[in-house]
Amino acid sequence: MPVVPSATTGDAILYYAHDPMCSWCFGFAPVWTRLQDELPAGVTVKRLLGGLAPDTDLPMPEAMREQLQATWRRIETRVPGTRFNFDFWTKCQPRRSTYPACRAVIAARAQGEQYDAAMTRVIQQAYYQQARNPSDEATLVALAEELGLDADRFRATLRDPATQRQLLAEIEETDALGASGYPSLILVTAAGRWLVPLDYGDAAPMRATIETLLAERTATWN
């Protein structure tokens, strides 16, 4: 279960639940970056991995391939400036398996908290823009090297059973928080927790919602 901030600290936690191979998370990334820059003082961001699809070596069924390509096109229409490289579907052997990419974020994080977001970003770039498959360990290790990480340490952490346990713990936490899908934003204060409605084009409405919830919390405790 999430740790609820103390009523006496005045702090709040904004949880960001995501999966690095979630196409909607990729579309949300630019406005999410802007929102983080504009958050009110006293709000701490905590990133959590949701884990869309467990490990599998089976090729992705044709129906799912078509469904995901349709989702990519819908995101391009809904989120201005977002573009996907559809060469992925002919150059790679898709598998419905995002757990390896999730574990890669945890393995990168082990070499510095800043690598959590950085690894997520390069996985998205590889998958959606460079037609590389982040379900493959070789791709993930190559991305770690490109980030300047210790590749041998990264590979060992990626394969460590403790990394899988950490992923499952984060998935459990996203469920306990009530994440409605990925991405999700959940604001937690001493007064309770709330899902923040997402806006894929403008950070201002989300910032306003967070500010309103924080003001209501302050009124509750005064």
Side-chain angles (χ1 to χ4, degrees):
M1 293 292 291
V3 176
V4 177
S6 167
T8 61
T9 65
D11 290 337
I13 300 174
L14 182 63
Y15 289 88
Y16 174 60
H18 72 106
D19 186 300
M21 291 181 68
C22 160
S23 52
W24 285 104
C25 296
F26 172 63
F28 187 63
V31 75
W32 169 231
T33 297
R34 293 197 296 273
L35 177 61
Q36 291 175 88
D37 291 338
E38 300 172 7
L39 286 174
V43 176
T44 300
V45 171
K46 181 175 180 182
R47 299 168 62 88
L48 288 173
L49 292 157
L52 281 170
D55 298 282
T56 182
D57 292 326
L58 297 176
M60 187 181 295
E62 185 61 32
M64 182 171 289
R65 291 166 61 113
E66 293 175 359
Q67 176 185 342
L68 290 176
Q69 289 177 75
T71 298
W72 288 15
R73 294 187 183 95
R74 187 161 64 254
I75 294 171
E76 286 185 336
T77 300
R78 177 173 171 183
V79 186
T82 301
R83 293 292 178 267
F84 293 88
N85 183 351
F86 286 81
D87 288 346
F88 172 83
W89 300 101
T90 54
K91 290 185 174 181
C92 297
Q93 176 63 270
R95 306 196 312 278
R96 184 58 172 165
S97 182
T98 72
Y99 277 26
C102 291
R103 288 193 295 269
V105 172
I106 295 170
R109 185 197 300 160
Q111 298 190 38
E113 282 292 331
Q114 70 273 24
Y115 292 117
D116 184 304
M119 177 56 77
T120 299
R121 183 179 65 254
V122 297
I123 288 171
Q124 290 174 336
Q125 290 171 345
Y127 183 22
Y128 296 118
Q129 298 180 328
Q130 300 167 359
R132 300 161 71 184
N133 194 346
S135 296
D136 296 339
E137 181 179 289
T139 299
L140 297 169
V141 173
L143 293 174
E145 291 177 325
E146 291 166 22
L147 275 179
L149 298 177
D150 181 326
D152 290 337
R153 179 183 170 192
F154 174 85
R155 186 184 292 105
T157 308
L158 189 64
R159 296 174 176 177
D160 191 334
T163 302
Q164 173 67 2
R165 290 194 295 272
Q166 176 62 30
L167 172 58
L168 295 178
E170 293 191 27
I171 293 171
E172 182 178 359
E173 188 168 4
T174 63
D175 290 342
L177 284 164
S180 58
Y182 306 114
S184 279
L185 292 176
I186 305 101
L187 183 69
V188 177
T189 75
R193 66 171 180 255
W194 302 266
L195 281 171
V196 177
L198 302 183
D199 189 310
Y200 284 81
D202 189 357
M206 295 180 289
R207 184 183 69 246
T209 297
I210 292 167
E211 289 172 344
T212 297
L213 291 170
L214 292 175
E216 292 174 352
R217 176 212 59 184
T218 301
T220 298
W221 290 104
N222 284 341

